[in-house]
Amino acid sequence: MVDISRLVVFLLALSLGTCPLTAWGSLPATGQPPGQPVQVQSVDYSPLKKQMESFIRGKKSDFAIYFEDLASGASFGINADKPMVAASTVKLPMALYINDLVVQGKMHWYDRVSYRKATDYEDGSGVLRYEARDGDTYSLRLLTNLAVTISDNVAFRMLARHVGRSNFCAYMRELGGRTIYPGGKNLTTARDLAAYVKATLDFARRHPQEGQRLLDDLAHPSFHVGLPGLLPHQVMVAHKEGDLDGIANDCGVVFSQRPYILVVLSSGVKETREGFADIARLSKMAYDFQQSLPAAEIFPLYQSPKHP
């Protein structure tokens, strides 16, 4: 079992200035005196990028990828600014927005939202499309949890109506998003989603209690086959998948020996299962590369096998 409280303690240390690092995932190496700055060596990520490019070159699907090492801040993208169908990955910034409104006191978890079939019904993932009846009310906490853990489409639509889509779009722009419902279409980019993932980590740093809850929801969804698909089970992966016909997406943070953000968007997928299998392979490439880095450089935030 991953002790998520260790992450929250680390994030709180950053916010209080008691941790000398400004980079995610970098804790003093074993034996290094506390309080001494840690020098994170630069890493050449061109081999990993080339490996991923070689992999997707042999596929008929279109891919957009963004990777960022949270220890050094080094990053790279492959079609990272190409607009792609977001599918349910858009539920990640929505969940963050709700959490942000709650900590600001503008909303409360016990607030209840009424279901309106005419505007809120949608096929696909979730349970509310079967259970909800006009006039039924659900707490903000439940709707947010359902949108994240089982990707409930009705819950998302209720939340979007409750907060106002224009307000939601403005919030994503504040987080650094650039491709936001262009022409009313649910499109995004790999770089935008990475910005939302980083904003989620920053939220957890600033608000440990709510942040722990959100990260825990993201780490235990019913759809858990993309980024974590080929990784050791004890490695915490806080992520949000999304799929439609011909679409398979995933975005999140992998708390390996050296934590990193990875976003993979794909379109033209013949089968959804195959699409997520490809995402899992790309994720394993990133994981193996991170695991190959000198262990002395950072102290593992979450221990994972050196050679899985």
Side-chain angles (χ1 to χ4, degrees):
M1 287 291 291
V2 171
D3 182 5
I4 195 171
S5 63
R6 289 191 62 202
L7 170 62
V8 177
V9 170
F10 173 64
L11 302 181
L12 183 58
L14 282 177
S15 65
L16 295 175
T18 57
C19 178
L21 303 174
T22 57
W24 283 90
S26 303
L27 293 175
T30 303
Q32 182 160 350
Q36 295 299 315
V38 176
Q39 298 299 320
V40 180
Q41 297 180 5
S42 61
V43 178
D44 178 13
Y45 279 97
S46 60
L48 175 59
K49 182 179 180 181
K50 290 178 180 177
Q51 184 184 16
M52 290 183 169
E53 288 175 330
S54 177
F55 177 79
I56 66 177
R57 196 176 298 123
K59 298 291 180 178
K60 295 182 179 180
S61 309
D62 292 324
F63 287 86
I65 299 171
Y66 184 90
F67 170 92
E68 183 169 334
D69 171 41
L70 291 174
S72 66
S75 64
F76 66 81
I78 302 173
N79 300 321
D81 297 307
K82 179 180 180 179
M84 303 279 281
V85 175
S88 287
T89 58
V90 72
K91 292 167 185 169
L92 170 61
M94 174 60 78
L96 180 58
Y97 186 33
I98 298 298
N99 275 267
D100 219 345
L101 291 171
V102 168
V103 298
Q104 292 179 53
K106 295 179 179 180
M107 292 187 180
H108 304 88
W109 287 127
Y110 53 73
D111 292 345
R112 301 191 73 81
V113 183
S114 297
Y115 172 69
R116 302 174 186 172
K117 184 176 181 179
T119 57
D120 301 336
Y121 180 84
E122 184 176 343
D123 284 330
S125 301
V127 297
L128 292 185
R129 68 188 182 111
Y130 301 111
E131 302 294 334
R133 299 292 182 271
D134 271 316
D136 288 351
T137 64
Y138 300 91
S139 71
L140 206 58
R141 173 69 189 117
L142 176 63
L143 292 175
T144 305
N145 175 268
L146 291 178
V148 170
T149 58
I150 65 172
S151 204
D152 195 295
N153 290 333
V154 171
F156 173 78
R157 292 178 69 89
M158 292 177 69
L159 290 172
R161 175 172 56 80
H162 188 63
V163 302
R165 286 189 179 271
S166 61
N167 294 329
F168 177 45
C169 290
Y171 180 74
M172 288 192 285
R173 291 190 188 92
E174 290 177 8
L175 299 182
R178 296 180 180 179
T179 302
I180 302 169
Y181 287 104
K185 298 179 180 179
N186 184 22
L187 302 179
T188 189
T189 66
R191 192 183 305 276
D192 281 4
L193 285 171
Y196 305 148
V197 174
K198 284 193 285 187
T200 302
L201 292 172
D202 184 61
F203 176 84
R205 173 182 63 82
R206 292 181 289 110
H207 307 287
Q209 181 176 348
E210 300 298 342
Q212 175 176 344
R213 178 183 292 159
L214 178 56
L215 286 172
D216 192 61
D217 285 349
L218 290 167
H220 298 93
S222 59
F223 302 101
H224 204 56
V225 295
L227 296 185
L230 294 176
L231 306 189
H233 297 311
Q234 67 268 34
V235 175
M236 176 181 171
V237 182
H239 68 122
K240 185 69 190 76
E241 296 182 3
D243 70 88
L244 292 168
D245 288 341
I247 304 294
N249 301 332
D250 204 354
C251 63
V253 56
V254 177
F255 292 99
S256 61
Q257 171 178 287
R258 189 175 178 119
Y260 59 93
I261 288 172
L262 182 61
V263 179
V264 182
L265 307 178
S266 61
S267 63
V269 176
K270 185 177 180 180
E271 293 183 0
T272 301
R273 183 181 296 273
E274 179 182 336
F276 282 110
D278 287 341
I279 293 175
R281 294 186 186 97
L282 289 163
S283 178
K284 186 62 161 55
M285 293 175 194
Y287 176 82
D288 288 344
F289 191 91
Q290 294 296 86
Q291 291 294 98
S292 72
L293 298 178
E297 290 188 3
I298 60 174
F299 185 87
L301 184 58
Y302 290 96
Q303 186 65 50
S304 61
K306 181 67 176 176
H307 300 292

